[in-house]
Amino acid sequence: MTILVCGEALVDLVPVHEGPLLSPKLGGGPFNVAIALGRLGEKVSFLSRVSTDAFGEQILQSLRDANVDVSMVQRGAEPTTLAMTNLADDGSAQYSFYADGTADRLVQDPGDLPDEITTLSFGTLSLLYEPGASMYAALLHRAHAAGKLTMLDPNIRPAAIDSTSGDITADGFRRRFLSWLPAVDILKVSEDDSHWLGLGSEGSTVDDWRAAGVTAVVMTRGGDGISVFTASGEIGVEGVQVDVVDTIGAGDTVHGALLAFLEKENIVTSSALSDMGKRDWERALGFSARAAAVTVSRPGADPPWASEAPRD
């Protein structure tokens, strides 16, 4: 069984201490998810379009070093997407993007997927920038219709929406988000993302998202832990207390660790996901929280290896 992670890989330009210098770090939500899965010992492949520039070569090598299969990665001469990252005092990150004409947004449909792929993961900028966004949306619906387990993290980046290089307005993105839900088994959102997407007083509810077709809504709450909303109600686990260096990649680690747990437990269909009980979810979310705690305890998106994140 193989997990296919779909989406962009890019370079984060991260401030060095308090000076004017910037340090390039490999990133992108889907890239981080794939790295986390590979380091945690799962069989994982990456689907994207990666530049033939020097950054692209580093991206491919990092994936290989984490035991991620790159046979489905496409290449192009266009540059690598860049993200300017600013860190707040609490370690949270804000981003601006340089994505005009970059390689990852030009990804092509891979066609029929191998039977060994049981689970697909989608997220972040790949859901925003055209023409790749429409291809990934079509693949999401096709994979779900074929009975494969699907997980999506919209991972909202407001600076990339409504910007001069964006392809869609905020309201347009919210409508697009709702169109994906019938093909999503697991929807993973942060609390901030859920509010941006309209969850709350006058907007949609978790029950609305579930009524649209989502089996489980997983919500990350920073240091306060992780919750999941299913047909049985809300189940939550507390966060693991650590000294936070920065939060880059924390949500992506939760995403990857949750898929790793499900794969190990052979939960690779919608029906198997629906059958998970309270104790199953507590174990899954607990493992995800422990893995994310390792990531936030060190700089950059640096997910744990299996030896650093015990399952139980």
Side-chain angles (χ1 to χ4, degrees), residues 9-293:
L10 51 76
V11 170
D12 287 314
L13 299 176
V14 181
V16 178
H17 304 298
E18 297 181 358
L21 298 179
L22 297 172
S23 174
K25 304 291 184 183
L26 303 184
F31 171 85
N32 294 336
V33 171
I35 293 289
L37 279 161
R39 289 184 176 185
L40 291 171
E42 299 308 311
K43 190 174 181 183
V44 54
S45 292
F46 190 58
L47 170 62
S48 186
R49 191 168 188 268
V50 171
S51 177
T52 54
D53 65 14
F55 284 142
E57 293 300 323
Q58 292 176 34
I59 286 168
L60 280 188
Q61 189 57 53
S62 291
L63 289 165
R64 294 188 187 103
D65 290 345
N67 302 312
V68 178
D69 173 58
V70 296
S71 61
M72 297 185 70
V73 172
Q74 304 162 21
R75 305 300 301 276
E78 303 80 16
T80 298
T81 299
L82 301 178
M84 185 80 74
T85 306
N86 292 311
L87 297 177
D89 291 340
D90 63 357
S92 61
Q94 306 247 335
Y95 303 89
S96 57
F97 298 93
Y98 300 86
D100 284 342
T102 51
D104 49 30
R105 64 193 299 167
L106 300 178
V107 62
Q108 300 292 307
D109 194 309
D112 293 338
L113 298 177
D115 291 340
E116 68 187 45
I117 292 175
T118 56
T119 302
L120 287 89
S121 161
F122 298 85
T124 321
L125 297 182
S126 60
L127 307 173
L128 172 63
Y129 291 129
E130 296 290 3
S134 292
M135 188 286 290
Y136 284 122
L139 180 59
L140 168 67
H141 284 275
R142 196 166 76 232
H144 187 266
K148 299 181 187 296
L149 191 73
T150 57
M151 182 168 176
L152 181 143
D153 179 1
N155 213 355
I156 302 301
R157 298 289 182 251
I161 300 172
D162 269 338
S163 70
T164 55
S165 61
D167 297 306
I168 194 169
T169 64
D171 286 343
F173 187 89
R174 292 183 182 103
R175 289 191 294 271
R176 181 184 287 182
F177 164 74
L178 294 176
S179 76
W180 298 323
L181 299 185
V184 176
D185 291 307
I186 307 168
L187 173 65
K188 183 245 164 227
V189 291
S190 68
E191 278 192 302
D192 287 345
D193 288 350
S194 71
H195 297 319
W196 190 95
L197 288 165
L199 192 70
S201 55
E202 298 298 324
S204 56
T205 67
V206 167
D207 287 341
D208 292 332
W209 292 349
R210 291 191 53 259
V214 178
T215 301
V217 178
V218 174
M219 186 177 298
T220 56
R221 306 181 185 278
D224 293 329
I226 311 171
S227 294
V228 63
F229 301 85
T230 71
S232 300
E234 181 180 358
I235 302 163
V237 299
E238 295 183 354
V240 177
Q241 299 305 307
V242 295
D243 292 331
V244 176
V245 176
D246 71 51
T247 62
I248 298 173
D252 303 326
T253 301
V254 169
H255 189 146
L258 178 56
L259 287 181
F261 179 92
L262 297 178
E263 189 80 0
K264 274 286 189 293
E265 299 292 319
N266 198 32
I267 300 171
V268 294
T269 64
S270 297
S271 60
L273 188 70
S274 297
D275 289 341
M276 288 180 66
K278 183 174 185 291
R279 178 55 184 154
D280 299 321
W281 275 113
E282 287 174 343
R283 292 176 59 226
L285 298 181
F287 173 60
S288 301
R290 290 191 297 275

